[in-house]
Amino acid sequence: MIVTLMKTEAEEALARQFAAVASSLPGTGVAAARRAAAMDRFRETGLPHRRIEEFKYSDVRSALKTAFAPADVQAPIVDANAIEAALGPVASLDADRLVFVDGAFVQSLSSSEIAGVTFRRFATGQPTDDAAFSAIAGANPLLALNEAFASDGAVISVDGARKLAGRLLVILYLHTAREPRRVTTRNLIEVAANARIDLVEVHARIGTAAVQTSTATRLVAGDGAEVAHIKIDREISAATHLSLWDLELGAATVYRGFQLTAGAGFVRNDIVARLPGADAKFDVSGLMLGRGDDHVDTTLVVDHIATGCESRELFKAVLDDRARAVFQGKVIVAPEAQKTDGKQMSQALLLADDVEFYSKPELEIYADDVACGHGATAAELDESMLFYLRSRGIGLAEARSLLIESFALETLEKIENDDIRAVARSVVITWLGADL
Amino acid sequence: MLEIKDLTVRIAEDGKEILKGVTLSVPDGEVHAIMGPNGSGKSTLAYVIAGRDGYEVTGGDILWNGTSILEMEPDERAAAGVFLAFQYPIEIPGVATMTFLRTALNSLKKKRGQAELTTPDFLRLIRAKAAELGVTDEMLKRPLNVGFSGGEKKRMEVLQMTMLDPSLCVLDETDSGLDIDAIRIVADGANRLRGPGRSMLVITHYQRLLDFIVPDKVHVLAHGRIQKTGGKELALELEKSGYAGFAGKAA
Ligand SMILES: Nc1ncnc2c1ncn2[C@@H]1O[C@H](COP(=O)(O)OP(=O)(O)O)[C@@H](O)[C@H]1O
Ligand SMILES: [Mg+2]
């Protein structure tokens, strides 16, 4: 009852907006009830703030001062050339595409048939969507907010006949609004046992206005599946980007996730991974690039439940001006998860005096026969490396960018697909070159 | 010609005085050796010539072809012809050796007002020079010095020296950690660069390297000063008597 008193302007606005748009959001009555329940849950907690442990370093409540109006789901017609331009290097990828513009699927910009993949929209209004709709579970208030407002998204099934990774599948989220808007999407990706796919999620902006993005993806991989899963966020100075990956990986799966965040205002990337099957190989890594007042947070929980799984995480941050990066990595090893092999590393390169890097690795190990380790470093450019390069005739500016690039690009080695790696590399180089 | 005149240097951080008045000259085309006990300041001298931060020159001067280089940035010195083969080459993860060599060579060419090499010319040059020094293609593809053995690192230093066409070569303990075959390879590399347009300063703790790179002169550095200068036979003397004889001459 006193809750109202504590509401921020943004929280008030979110409640008002929900009341106004709820009836026009897609889905059955079941979905509508779930949205309402999600909104109730959100109302109880409000936006997460720094007194909640998981958000200690990323106070969403103070970052999200205002809640922009939800984007108009009647997607505007966008010109294909403008899209290619917004995509930058991503445009050149030879890939199947699923395109969402301002939070709504656009068939005319998307591939009509994708080998070994069935696709449907979240928002068809079919009862079958109900299960998919609420498939992403968790106590995160941002997830509740996402469920309440989600306007569209992809429900993708990769069938067992897809034995080769094949053509890349790119899911594009484009923002075209000329006024500040909020865009909320969620995806469900199911990969059949022994199937393979390389999946790229790209967030980019055509419009001039700031965007508040909320995106949630649940990916379930059957036994023996092989999945590469890459997110490239180049919204560039968007107001906020709130992302959540909920991963569940079967026995002997090989999963390689990567998140590239190239300077996007306030960013919170949550990754929750459960490894309930034995002998899975799990790698999730990323690169956070920040300058100005950018704030980029990656918060990861890996839950080892079965024996013999391997988990690897490498997250790096390049920080200039007053930028901040956060890496929280929790690895839980259940009593049954013997022979778990976990390694985690986070590293920040600090290019200015006023940047901040918070690193919080956590191991919760309940099994006795495991090998788990983690490390974290934060350093300025190495003087001896700079001197070595300069002693060979390389000027200071060029020596600095060589070292910054090499620090950043090392993470991209985690991306096995050459085409995606080249795209990611180009995004990184462009970002670095914009101002050094 | 390299002229070091009454050079005094201290460590910037703790003020410890390392060089207390070093004077020596290396005329064009000559190879001089500097020998001295561990900790006598040989690397300090090499770094000060190359322009590393952290050393404070409190007196004296270093002239290269008549001009003081003390105020020059390390890359400007490199453009002027200075090359230091490091005692401990630095590992640079993420920078491919090939990319590095190409960037360095082209930066130098630009600074020296020369045309940059085309890709085929560059590749031809690097292949030829690498083969001479037993540097494999596989090494060139790796990140610079990362995971290289001690010997591979030293060969890479000499390869860089060969590629970058310096006129003053300072070799800091290029023999340390090498077996005799490897010493021969790097010494051959250095010897190929001997010639009228080039001066060399070969720093070593042991006489061994000087069997292969025979110096015109040998200087003994101890206690911050050149204690003795002589011909190549001085190295052999030192091999027998050690550096103990210079203990009394501390400042
Ligand atoms: N950057 C530095 N910081 C502190 N002390 C240093 C530094 N460089 C050299 N020294 C000290 O200066 C002395 C000379 O070192 P160095 O020049 O490496 O000798 P050498 O190469 O003859 O073995 C040693 O006592 C060493 O500890
Ligand atoms: Mg030394």
Side-chain angles (χ1 to χ4, degrees), chain A residues 269-333:
Chain A
N269 289 322
D270 274 292
I271 303 169
V272 181
R274 277 167 45 86
L275 309 179
D279 303 321
K281 283 195 180 359
F282 171 79
D283 187 321
V284 68
S285 297
L287 176 61
M288 303 181 264
L289 304 172
R291 66 163 63 95
D293 292 303
D294 290 344
H295 177 111
V296 188
D297 174 325
T298 300
T299 294
L300 172 77
V301 180
V302 184
D303 212 347
H304 283 273
I305 299 163
T307 58
C309 292
E310 182 183 283
S311 65
R312 294 285 180 272
E313 299 98 35
L314 170 68
F315 280 85
K316 288 195 182 188
V318 177
L319 301 170
D320 205 350
D321 304 324
R322 299 159 305 280
R324 262 173 299 169
V326 179
F327 174 73
Q328 305 187 98
K330 186 193 268 192
V331 175
I332 306 167
V333 181

Side-chain angles (χ1 to χ4, degrees), chain B residues 11 13-14 16 18 36-45 54-55 87 172-173:
Chain B
I11 305 292
E13 201 179 3
D14 58 9
K16 184 174 158 199
I18 307 295
N38 278 331
S40 59
K42 302 183 297 297
S43 292
T44 300
L45 179 62
Y55 300 95
Q87 179 174 4
D172 190 2
E173 309 245 9

Side-chain angles (χ1 to χ4, degrees), chain B residues 4-23 39-62 69-70 77 221 223-225:
Chain B
I4 300 174
K5 295 180 170 172
D6 201 20
L7 187 73
T8 55
V9 172
R10 62 183 183 202
I11 305 292
E13 201 179 3
D14 58 9
K16 184 174 158 199
E17 192 164 51
I18 307 295
L19 302 181
K20 302 170 182 169
V22 170
T23 299
S40 59
K42 302 183 297 297
S43 292
T44 300
L45 179 62
Y47 284 142
V48 171
I49 294 172
R52 185 175 192 154
D53 280 345
Y55 300 95
E56 194 184 334
V57 176
T58 51
D61 209 345
I62 303 176
I69 58 170
L70 288 180
R77 298 184 198 205
L221 177 65
H223 306 292
R225 292 201 178 85

Side-chain angles (χ1 to χ4, degrees), chain A residues 113-355:
Chain A
E113 234 174 87
I114 304 168
V117 170
T118 49
F119 159 76
R120 62 198 164 85
R121 302 172 64 167
F122 235 127
T124 54
Q126 299 302 312
T128 46
D129 290 355
D130 295 339
F133 191 76
S134 294
I136 315 179
N140 189 333
L142 299 177
L143 190 56
L145 189 62
N146 178 282
E147 182 168 355
F149 280 96
S151 59
D152 209 340
V155 180
I156 293 172
S157 306
V158 181
D159 66 48
R162 195 165 155 132
K163 296 277 186 240
L164 297 171
R167 231 168 155 217
L168 294 171
L169 176 56
V170 176
I171 309 178
L172 294 179
Y173 298 94
L174 290 173
H175 309 307
T176 66
R178 289 175 209 286
E179 299 294 325
R181 284 291 180 267
R182 204 153 54 78
V183 173
T184 308
T185 50
R186 51 173 40 201
N187 308 298
L188 176 64
I189 299 162
E190 287 171 319
V191 184
N194 302 313
R196 291 189 61 179
I197 189 159
D198 289 354
L199 198 65
V200 189
E201 189 185 314
V202 180
H203 299 261
R205 190 157 65 106
I206 300 177
T208 44
V211 186
Q212 292 173 340
T213 304
S214 164
T215 171
T217 296
R218 175 166 168 83
L219 185 147
V220 184
D223 295 353
E226 260 185 61
V227 182
H229 186 196
I230 287 101
K231 176 163 84 94
I232 298 176
D233 177 14
R234 55 193 305 274
E235 284 161 333
I236 304 172
S237 300
T240 54
H241 177 91
L242 307 172
S243 152
L244 188 138
W245 276 4
D246 172 23
L247 312 169
E248 180 143 349
L249 310 171
T253 50
V254 178
Y255 175 88
R256 289 179 301 274
F258 193 89
Q259 298 194 335
L260 169 59
T261 304
F266 181 93
V267 179
R268 165 77 172 201
N269 289 322
D270 274 292
I271 303 169
V272 181
R274 277 167 45 86
L275 309 179
D279 303 321
K281 283 195 180 359
F282 171 79
D283 187 321
V284 68
S285 297
L287 176 61
M288 303 181 264
L289 304 172
R291 66 163 63 95
D293 292 303
D294 290 344
H295 177 111
V296 188
D297 174 325
T298 300
T299 294
L300 172 77
V301 180
V302 184
D303 212 347
H304 283 273
I305 299 163
T307 58
C309 292
E310 182 183 283
S311 65
R312 294 285 180 272
E313 299 98 35
L314 170 68
F315 280 85
K316 288 195 182 188
V318 177
L319 301 170
D320 205 350
D321 304 324
R322 299 159 305 280
R324 262 173 299 169
V326 179
F327 174 73
Q328 305 187 98
K330 186 193 268 192
V331 175
I332 306 167
V333 181
E336 301 75 31
Q338 300 293 0
K339 309 278 181 202
T340 291
D341 170 4
K343 283 200 186 66
Q344 181 181 94
M345 176 56 82
S346 69
Q347 297 180 314
L349 180 59
L350 315 175
L351 298 177
D353 291 340
D354 295 331
V355 301

Side-chain angles (χ1 to χ4, degrees), chain A residues 382-396 398 402-403 405-407 409-410, chain B residues 51-52 73-75 78 83-84 86 91-95 100 103-104 107-108 111 145 157 160:
Chain A
D382 186 296
E383 284 298 329
S384 61
M385 291 187 194
L386 269 178
F387 172 64
Y388 188 71
L389 295 174
R390 297 186 72 195
S391 76
R392 270 52 176 146
I394 302 173
L396 178 60
E398 197 171 357
L402 260 182
L403 292 179
E405 262 176 50
S406 69
F407 174 85
L409 295 179
E410 192 208 349
Chain B
R52 185 175 192 154
E73 296 293 326
D75 45 301
F83 183 93
L84 168 62
F86 282 53
E91 299 191 3
I92 310 208
V95 176
F100 158 76
T103 309
S107 307
L108 280 178
K111 289 192 171 95
N145 291 326
E157 292 295 287
Q160 292 174 34

